[in-house]
Amino acid sequence: MRIILVGPPGAGKGTQAARLVERYGIPHISTGDMLRAAVKAGTALGKEADAYMKAGDLVPDAVVIGMAVERIGEADAQKGFMLDGFPRTRPQAEALDAALSAAGVQLDAVVLIEVDDSLIVERITGRRTDPETKRIYHLKFDPPPAEVADRLVQRKDDTEEACRARLAKYHGETAPIIPFYEDKGLLKRVDGVGSPDAVTERLVAALGG
Ligand code: AP5
């Protein structure tokens, strides 16, 4: 299965991808995770991306497209993948299309997880991640167990200010890829409000089980 998860920041893409990749046996490819790893490792790419990410801006297409297309070409992604956070501009969507056509493969679905803007800031500012297991928690909606609480970290771009900038980028630059995939007959809309389990059920149903 070749799937793209789209949605605003905090829609639950990372939370749901972690569950779905186990079910479908495909790798989770998150450009946000790849960029954060590059920042942490202090690579040239990470140094370039860091300031954009902290401010809630998009990292330039020229940087992200090469990184994502290379990752999709790796051995574990030949049987399928779940893309999370890529593409998020029209040029990225076109570049992905060209790379998949050149490889002679097609997408199965593009799933849009819909969550109203009014719910996003609370989801983002309450997010904490376990650096050991990578499990995503929320202080209120998905509280961490006491034994991991001390080691949880908060993302640098999970401030209210950066979150609002990311939402504006989503509506200005990422939302235009929705009609692009709708025209290809690939788009499936899923309500992202409700418990994470309820959202997983809707996603599985949208993907055909
Ligand atoms: P990225 O890491 O992709 O961030 P994002 O798209 O803003 O999405 P998030 O990771 O914030 O949210 P999510 O939808 O995964 O939600 P989650 O499951 O964690 O990108 C970060 C940055 O990297 C970008 O701003 C940009 O700078 C750069 N970047 C990345 N890709 C790029 C690209 N292609 N081009 C250019 N730049 C790029 O959930 C959020 C919280 O809500 C959690 O605490 C969770 O526990 C909670 N939650 C989840 N589901 C529910 C639910 N059903 N009910 C209540 N709470 C819930």
Side-chain angles (χ1 to χ4, degrees), residues 25-47:
I26 50 178
H28 175 198
I29 300 180
S30 156
T31 45
D33 286 349
M34 292 169 77
L35 290 166
R36 279 184 289 279
V39 170
K40 197 170 169 202
T43 64
L45 188 148
K47 283 182 185 140

Side-chain angles (χ1 to χ4, degrees), residues 123-136:
R123 280 200 186 187
I124 288 289
T125 53
R127 171 168 48 196
R128 299 292 184 274
T129 307
D130 184 337
E132 284 183 24
T133 63
K134 311 292 179 212
R135 165 81 157 80
I136 299 165

Side-chain angles (χ1 to χ4, degrees), residues 7-16 30-33 35-36 49 52-54 56-61 64 84-89 92 123-124 126-128 135-139 141-142 155 157-158 166 192-196 199:
K13 303 181 296 294
T15 300
Q16 296 298 332
S30 156
T31 45
D33 286 349
L35 290 166
R36 279 184 289 279
Y52 293 104
M53 295 175 76
K54 265 192 221 148
D57 280 338
L58 292 182
V59 176
D61 287 340
V64 177
D84 159 7
F86 181 88
R88 65 209 287 161
T89 63
Q92 290 181 20
R123 280 200 186 187
I124 288 289
R127 171 168 48 196
R128 299 292 184 274
R135 165 81 157 80
I136 299 165
Y137 293 97
H138 191 281
L139 296 177
F141 304 128
D142 186 9
R155 271 170 47 177
D157 60 346
D158 276 354
R166 283 156 60 199
V193 182
S195 71
V199 177

Side-chain angles (χ1 to χ4, degrees), residues 12 20-21 74 101 132 144 148 175 199:
L20 295 173
V21 293
E74 287 178 15
S101 296
E132 284 183 24
V148 304
V199 177

Side-chain angles (χ1 to χ4, degrees), residues 12-197:
K13 303 181 296 294
T15 300
Q16 296 298 332
R19 296 160 170 234
L20 295 173
V21 293
E22 281 202 16
R23 182 181 183 98
Y24 298 119
I26 50 178
H28 175 198
I29 300 180
S30 156
T31 45
D33 286 349
M34 292 169 77
L35 290 166
R36 279 184 289 279
V39 170
K40 197 170 169 202
T43 64
L45 188 148
K47 283 182 185 140
E48 186 176 354
D50 193 28
Y52 293 104
M53 295 175 76
K54 265 192 221 148
D57 280 338
L58 292 182
V59 176
D61 287 340
V63 175
V64 177
I65 289 172
M67 181 187 83
V69 168
E70 193 180 316
R71 177 67 187 88
I72 291 162
E74 287 178 15
D76 67 334
Q78 300 316 300
K79 59 184 189 259
F81 49 73
M82 177 155 298
L83 279 173
D84 159 7
F86 181 88
R88 65 209 287 161
T89 63
R90 180 75 189 231
Q92 290 181 20
E94 287 166 0
L96 175 65
D97 235 29
L100 295 177
S101 296
V105 296
Q106 287 181 341
L107 290 170
D108 293 290
V110 177
V111 186
L112 170 63
I113 305 181
E114 297 183 298
V115 175
D116 192 81
D117 283 7
S118 61
L119 301 174
I120 295 297
V121 172
E122 189 179 15
R123 280 200 186 187
I124 288 289
T125 53
R127 171 168 48 196
R128 299 292 184 274
T129 307
D130 184 337
E132 284 183 24
T133 63
K134 311 292 179 212
R135 165 81 157 80
I136 299 165
Y137 293 97
H138 191 281
L139 296 177
K140 180 170 160 191
F141 304 128
D142 186 9
E147 61 271 23
V148 304
D150 285 348
R151 66 176 190 233
L152 299 182
V153 293
Q154 184 171 26
R155 271 170 47 177
K156 284 188 267 186
D157 60 346
D158 276 354
T159 61
E160 180 167 345
E161 193 188 0
C163 173
R164 292 199 189 281
R166 283 156 60 199
L167 256 182
K169 286 283 169 193
Y170 173 76
H171 289 296
E173 300 203 35
T174 305
I177 71 172
I178 294 166
F180 177 82
Y181 288 117
E182 209 157 28
D183 289 349
K184 292 177 183 289
L186 289 169
L187 192 79
K188 297 177 190 301
R189 294 172 186 269
V190 168
D191 181 3
V193 182
S195 71
D197 286 348

